[in-house]
Amino acid sequence: MPKSSRAPRVTGLGGVFFKSANPETLGAWYREHLDIPVEEWGGAQFAWRDAKRPEIKGHTVWSPFAADTPYFKPSRKAFMLNFRVDDLDAVLEALRSEGVKVLDSSEDSEFGKFGWVLDPEGNKIELWQPPTPKKKTRAKRAS
């Protein structure tokens, strides 16, 4: 049960990923019939702004994967949810200490930091810490 004195671990839904027999055809169907803005890489990004801090931009990803993708393993389910977090390492450490099954692998890339856990029914959950936006610095003018 979440404690009211701590900041929320999950800050939003980062994405919905699911297996498809034919991701390209399915993506085209969603683009044509539901106007989902499916991009060349096969998924879509829905942009939004943080309600409490409108200067913060974010996005939620929708993406079909090939039916035989190993990305969802060890889960045998046909879907995976991705949740946004502010501090991946702290969340994974807390979950480990609570007995949650935290998968050994993690990833740090230009897209952010990723870690994975299994819920009690074996669903793989991806936790994502978006990359920190780089602050623009002004070039010093020569005096």
Side-chain angles (χ1 to χ4, degrees):
M1 172 182 282
K3 297 176 183 171
S4 60
S5 63
R6 72 169 192 228
R9 289 179 180 166
V10 168
T11 60
L13 182 63
V16 176
F17 309 124
F18 57 95
K19 294 180 181 182
S20 165
N22 190 326
E24 295 81 18
T25 300
L26 188 63
W29 185 93
Y30 275 88
R31 184 186 306 111
E32 179 182 345
H33 298 288
L34 298 179
D35 297 324
I36 302 291
V38 178
E39 298 179 29
E40 210 172 286
W41 53 270
Q45 297 185 64
F46 296 93
W48 49 265
R49 291 191 181 265
D50 187 288
K52 293 179 183 172
R53 298 174 294 171
E55 71 278 7
I56 307 238
K57 296 177 185 178
H59 63 272
T60 301
V61 174
W62 171 94
S63 184
F65 279 70
D68 61 352
T69 182
Y71 195 65
F72 296 10
K73 288 185 177 183
S75 176
R76 294 187 213 160
K77 305 294 174 101
F79 69 92
M80 182 174 66
L81 298 175
N82 167 295
F83 291 109
R84 294 171 59 96
V85 298
D86 285 334
D87 186 344
L88 178 65
D89 295 331
V91 171
L92 292 175
E93 183 180 321
L95 293 173
R96 240 184 232 102
S97 74
E98 295 166 4
V100 172
K101 173 66 176 164
V102 176
L103 301 182
D104 291 334
S105 61
S106 63
E107 182 180 317
D108 194 347
S109 75
E110 65 185 283
F111 303 110
K113 294 172 71 174
F114 299 86
W116 297 270
V117 301
L118 295 179
D119 74 12
E121 293 190 3
N123 298 306
K124 186 176 181 183
I125 306 297
E126 184 169 70
L127 300 175
W128 170 51
Q129 179 181 329
T132 305
K134 296 191 182 346
K135 294 187 180 197
K136 294 181 182 177
T137 57
R138 292 169 140 196
K140 277 189 152 184
R141 291 177 47 182
S143 302

